[in-house]
C-alpha cells in the first residue's frame, strides 16, 4: 500500500462471552487457531434490575 500502510489484509471475528469465567477459555481456544485478541470490552446491559448483567465482547484478529 502507499504511504507506508499495512498491505496485509486481516480477518476479524467478534465473540460475546456471557460469564467472566469463560473469557480465558475462549481466548485460549481462539489462540490455538491462530487468532489474537484485538480489543476487549465489558459493557453493562441496561439499567434497573437488569443492570447487574455484564457481557464480555472480544474482537479477535488474524492475518489472512
Amino acid at each position: 500500500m502507499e504511504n507506508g500502510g499495512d498491505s496485509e489484509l486481516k480477518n476479524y471475528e467478534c465473540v460475546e462471552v456471557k460469564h467472566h469465567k469463560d473469557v480465558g477459555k475462549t481466548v485460549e481456544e481462539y489462540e490455538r487457531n491462530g487468532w489474537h485478541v484485538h480489543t476487549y470490552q465489558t459493557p453493562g446491559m441496561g439499567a434497573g434490575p437488569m443492570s447487574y448483567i455484564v457481557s464480555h465482547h472480544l474482537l479477535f484478529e488474524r492475518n489472512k
Side-chain angles (χ1 to χ4, degrees):
M1 291 187 84
E2 294 181 31
N3 301 327
D6 187 0
S7 63
E8 192 168 338
L9 296 176
K10 297 185 180 198
N11 288 325
Y12 293 91
E13 186 164 337
C14 185
V15 178
E16 180 181 50
V17 180
K18 296 292 186 182
H19 197 280
H20 66 89
K21 292 191 299 188
D22 297 326
V23 170
K25 291 183 261 184
T26 302
V27 170
E28 286 177 9
E29 178 184 332
Y30 272 81
E31 285 182 346
R32 277 194 297 271
N33 292 305
W35 296 88
H36 68 272
V37 177
H38 182 266
T39 56
Y40 172 51
Q41 294 182 351
T42 56
M45 299 294 287
M50 298 303 289
S51 63
Y52 63 90
I53 296 174
V54 176
S55 291
H56 304 265
H57 297 122
L58 298 105
L59 180 63
F60 289 95
E61 168 185 76
R62 75 174 172 187
N63 295 334
K64 280 191 171 185

